[in-house]
Amino acid sequence: MSKTFQRAGLVLALACLAACGGGGGAAGTPTVNTGSTSAVGSASSATTLSGVAATGKALASARISLRDAAGVIRRTTSDSNGAFSLDMSSLQAPMVLEAQSGGTTLYAPVFAGDNHVNVNQLTNAQLRQWLRSRCADDTCRGQAATQQLYDFLAAGKGDLAALTADSFDSDLLALTSAAGGSAGKLRTDKTFAANGKGWDALLDAHPYGAIMVDANGITSQAGLLQAAVSSVPLASVPVLPAYPYDNLCRGTLNATVYRTANVDMYGQGISADQQRRAALLADYYLRKERSRFEVLTDTGLTGQRAQYCVDGSVVNAGGSASGGAVGGSLGYFSGTQAAGEDDWRQVLHHETIHMAVNAATGNTEAGGPNMVEKWLDEGLAVHFAGQDGWLSDVDGWFADSDHSVHPMDVRLDGMIGTQRLADAGYYEMFRLMLKQLETANAGPQELGRRVASVLRVVKGKPIANNPGVFQAAASQYLFGNSPYATYRSNLPATLRDYVASHTVGLGVSGGTVLRGTLLVEGAAVSCSTLQKAEDVQLVGGKLLLPKVDGSYRLLAIQSVSKAGGQATVSYYPLQTVTISNGAANPATLALAGQTVASLSCSN
């Protein structure tokens, strides 16, 4: 079992920068009315609908259509940026937006009150997934996934009156989260542009032709993004065991449970939309972490459905999200009312990692025996859930009286009750240790494989009864055959060197940030598209993104590779730097704990 309190910190969400779409264009053509004019549904309060049609690149000169609940259709044409605007006065919601260009046809729902709706392959897949879930037979389900939706709706299928903006956007948020996006509403985001940044970079990563909707859910070429989900009555599902450590989900549970192939999501004091979205995210994280640690192969858990519960009635001190894992198939956590969206998702992911580790090692019950030491158990969860934390003064940290225990000696039964908060103070060090091990073990994928090897060795071998088994496995697979005791004694120096090699010193001259010592090759690269962009400068090996408050977002280049007229730049997104009175604040930027991102641009 483990208990998590998310550490407050700076979350940086910097999208990859790439050249996609762009350029000015002519306004769309006038709108055209077709269909009947009988009043069905509710009249939209907005009179004009704008939006952007894109698949990663703009759908230029696309035919844009808007069909209302009565079958009335209005049309226009997008400009060269994929942007469009049309009159929707007197139309009845809910409506369906269609964008056609060549062999590409995209859809998105439009609800009463909407005045801006973007249409792309993810809104299209999410709408088709919902319509498919409303079908009673395979013929209908196949048509919902592949047929022109205006024909589908005209045939009297897919009653959109049952779909709400909140539920659709909640499901779409789960889909975009699984695809690598951040919190936000892709469908109605007025800042969206087909420029290779932000949401558009996400669309680039999941091309229109690579997305399928079928019985499994929504699938990209990279794998299943969103499982099919159904609602079942609480009375017809297995009883949710009581969480043994605090009051999460101990009250009256919601009457509906949301079910995927891998997850039953229970709820308490939470909206149906968030409970459903939690089911979709939990399914994604569970599949991801079971695969990472080879749980399906090692434990025969294929088809085992995990039980999760999200409790919106629990609000922790400081507003942080909390959660706990019991064995390999029970997870409990608080709702987004207790924390921000990113915090909540990270805690859900964190506890799912514990569940996967527990399943892989055979620790299947509350208070069960520990097969791995706390630094690895918590370190894996903090690390792979992306809960960033780093420390530049490693020597000072080891000498700190508040952290008198060596991080590899933190007690195995910690994170419960009063011990929980004391051990939570070690999260930064656990995260830093895993970052260092990831670097030493050739990256995240190889680290995951080597950790899976450790978990196989220690499966069913509690540390208390098998002293030395875990340490020998860690030495062999994680420490490069260095003896455990040697790695432990060298840890302060190892982490000090790691942090020193992942910092950038800054200087200022005439209000311009001077480059510090860059750590790897490729300190400078010529990318004409970046140099011409209005919001980006390539200066001294760093990308400077000016902000309105006069500060800069810095991206320190890690490496550059060139092939076929393209340059791919890997970089660290750093903290905000403020230039004041000829000085940079902070003067030293920490790279440890940062996730390396990348961009591509034409030379």
Side-chain angles (χ1 to χ4, degrees):
M1 175 273 169
S2 66
K3 183 73 176 180
T4 299
F5 275 85
Q6 165 69 5
R7 176 181 176 273
L10 179 63
V11 178
L12 300 179
L14 294 179
C16 295
L17 306 174
C20 290
T29 59
T31 60
V32 179
N33 285 321
T34 64
S36 69
T37 57
S38 58
V40 179
S42 58
S44 175
S45 59
T47 60
T48 301
L49 181 71
S50 62
V52 176
T55 58
K57 64 178 180 180
L59 286 191
S61 303
R63 189 181 75 167
I64 307 296
S65 305
L66 182 65
R67 183 189 191 276
D68 83 344
V72 177
I73 299 177
R74 293 184 181 170
R75 293 191 173 95
T76 188
T77 303
S78 66
D79 66 15
S80 61
N81 295 315
F84 61 85
S85 177
L86 53 76
D87 175 33
M88 62 174 179
S89 57
S90 76
L91 295 185
Q92 306 297 314
M95 297 172 272
V96 175
L97 179 65
E98 179 189 78
Q100 285 188 323
S101 177
T104 299
T105 303
L106 308 172
Y107 295 95
V110 178
F111 301 96
D114 286 341
N115 58 26
H116 184 95
V117 172
N118 302 310
V119 57
N120 50 69
Q121 61 266 40
L122 296 184
T123 61
N124 176 65
Q126 193 69 69
L127 181 57
R128 289 184 180 277
Q129 169 85 321
W130 185 87
L131 290 169
R132 194 180 188 283
S133 71
R134 308 287 293 183
C135 288
D137 56 73
D138 288 341
T139 298
C140 173
R141 284 188 279 270
Q143 292 170 342
T146 60
Q147 190 178 15
Q148 298 288 329
L149 290 188
Y150 282 6
D151 295 338
F152 182 82
L153 296 170
K157 302 175 182 179
D159 180 13
L160 289 177
L163 181 61
T164 67
D166 285 345
S167 62
F168 183 86
D169 289 337
S170 183
D171 283 5
L172 185 60
L173 176 58
L175 174 61
T176 55
S177 298
S182 59
K185 293 184 178 181
L186 168 60
R187 187 181 67 91
T188 56
D189 188 349
K190 293 183 178 180
T191 67
F192 175 84
N195 59 5
K197 304 177 185 180
W199 290 119
D200 198 54
L202 184 66
L203 300 181
D204 277 328
H206 298 277
Y208 168 72
I211 293 182
M212 295 180 59
V213 178
D214 56 26
N216 294 317
I218 300 173
T219 306
S220 174
Q221 60 186 5
L224 183 63
L225 290 178
Q226 186 179 100
V229 62
S230 61
S231 59
V232 293
L234 176 65
S236 66
V237 299
V239 174
L240 179 73
Y243 184 49
Y245 299 106
D246 60 26
N247 61 349
L248 282 171
C249 296
R250 289 196 177 187
T252 301
L253 297 177
N254 293 354
T256 298
V257 172
Y258 286 93
R259 169 170 285 182
T260 69
N262 299 290
V263 166
D264 276 344
M265 182 60 69
Y266 302 72
Q268 176 180 307
I270 206 73
S271 71
D273 289 340
Q274 186 180 355
Q275 186 182 343
R276 177 186 169 94
R277 176 158 52 92
L280 295 172
L281 284 171
D283 183 278
Y284 173 74
Y285 292 143
L286 191 65
R287 285 184 284 109
K288 180 178 182 178
E289 299 308 331
R290 282 179 173 177
S291 174
R292 188 198 307 275
F293 300 125
E294 303 175 12
V295 174
L296 297 182
T297 301
D298 292 345
T299 68
L301 285 177
T302 303
Q304 177 175 318
R305 188 175 286 114
Q307 291 174 290
Y308 285 79
C309 184
V310 54
D311 189 342
S313 65
V314 173
V315 179
N316 301 303
S320 62
S322 65
V326 178
S329 59
L330 284 170
Y332 305 79
F333 56 104
S334 57
T336 54
Q337 291 93 325
E341 177 69 33
D342 287 324
D343 184 12
W344 173 75
R345 284 190 294 159
Q346 287 174 345
V347 169
L348 170 58
H349 193 179
H350 179 118
E351 299 307 333
T352 300
I353 293 168
H354 282 312
M355 292 164 65
V357 170
N358 288 343
T361 59
N363 184 0
T364 58
E365 59 186 38
N370 294 282
M371 320 300 177
V372 299
E373 292 182 356
K374 182 62 62 179
W375 66 266
L376 182 62
D377 188 23
E378 290 298 335
L380 289 171
V382 174
H383 179 64
F384 285 118
Q387 293 169 299
D388 280 318
W390 60 89
L391 221 59
S392 58
D393 185 8
V394 176
D395 287 335
W397 195 93
F398 273 89
D400 187 345
S401 60
D402 291 335
H403 304 95
S404 56
V405 177
H406 190 287
M408 296 176 74
D409 295 339
V410 173
R411 49 187 282 184
L412 298 176
D413 59 346
M415 312 309 292
I416 302 175
T418 57
Q419 184 66 24
R420 175 182 60 205
L421 294 179
D423 286 353
Y426 287 82
Y427 271 17
E428 289 184 341
M429 188 57 70
F430 294 157
R431 170 68 159 143
L432 187 55
M433 290 172 66
L434 266 293
K435 288 294 291 184
Q436 186 274 325
L437 286 173
E438 181 178 278
T439 299
N441 286 285
Q445 290 186 338
E446 183 62 23
L447 175 63
R449 285 192 288 267
R450 295 185 186 185
V451 168
S453 297
V454 172
L455 302 184
R456 276 197 298 273
V457 171
V458 304
K459 180 183 176 183
K461 299 181 176 67
I463 290 175
N465 301 329
N466 299 271
V469 172
F470 167 78
Q471 294 183 4
S475 172
Q476 178 181 354
Y477 292 107
L478 302 180
F479 304 158
N481 286 315
S482 174
Y484 183 94
T486 301
Y487 181 86
R488 182 190 178 282
S489 64
N490 290 341
L491 185 63
T494 298
L495 296 184
R496 182 187 62 242
D497 291 344
Y498 176 77
V499 169
S501 66
H502 289 76
T503 56
V504 176
L506 299 177
V508 178
S509 176
T512 300
V513 178
L514 303 178
R515 56 170 287 195
T517 301
L518 291 179
L519 312 171
V520 294
E521 64 187 35
V525 60
S526 175
C527 289
S528 60
T529 53
L530 285 179
Q531 291 170 332
K532 293 177 181 177
E534 294 180 0
D535 60 345
V536 177
Q537 300 176 59
L538 193 61
V539 178
K542 296 188 184 68
L543 297 170
L544 303 181
L545 280 68
K547 298 174 62 179
V548 295
D549 61 1
S551 62
Y552 294 85
R553 186 79 75 189
L554 277 82
L555 310 179
I557 292 176
Q558 184 206 41
S559 63
V560 178
S561 61
K562 300 180 181 181
Q566 294 287 312
T568 299
V569 183
S570 295
Y571 61 89
Y572 293 98
L574 305 181
Q575 302 98 311
T576 295
V577 177
T578 302
I579 308 302
S580 178
N581 297 322
N585 184 27
T588 301
L589 302 179
L591 292 172
Q594 296 283 2
T595 300
V596 178
S598 64
L599 61 88
S600 295
C601 57
S602 300
N603 286 328

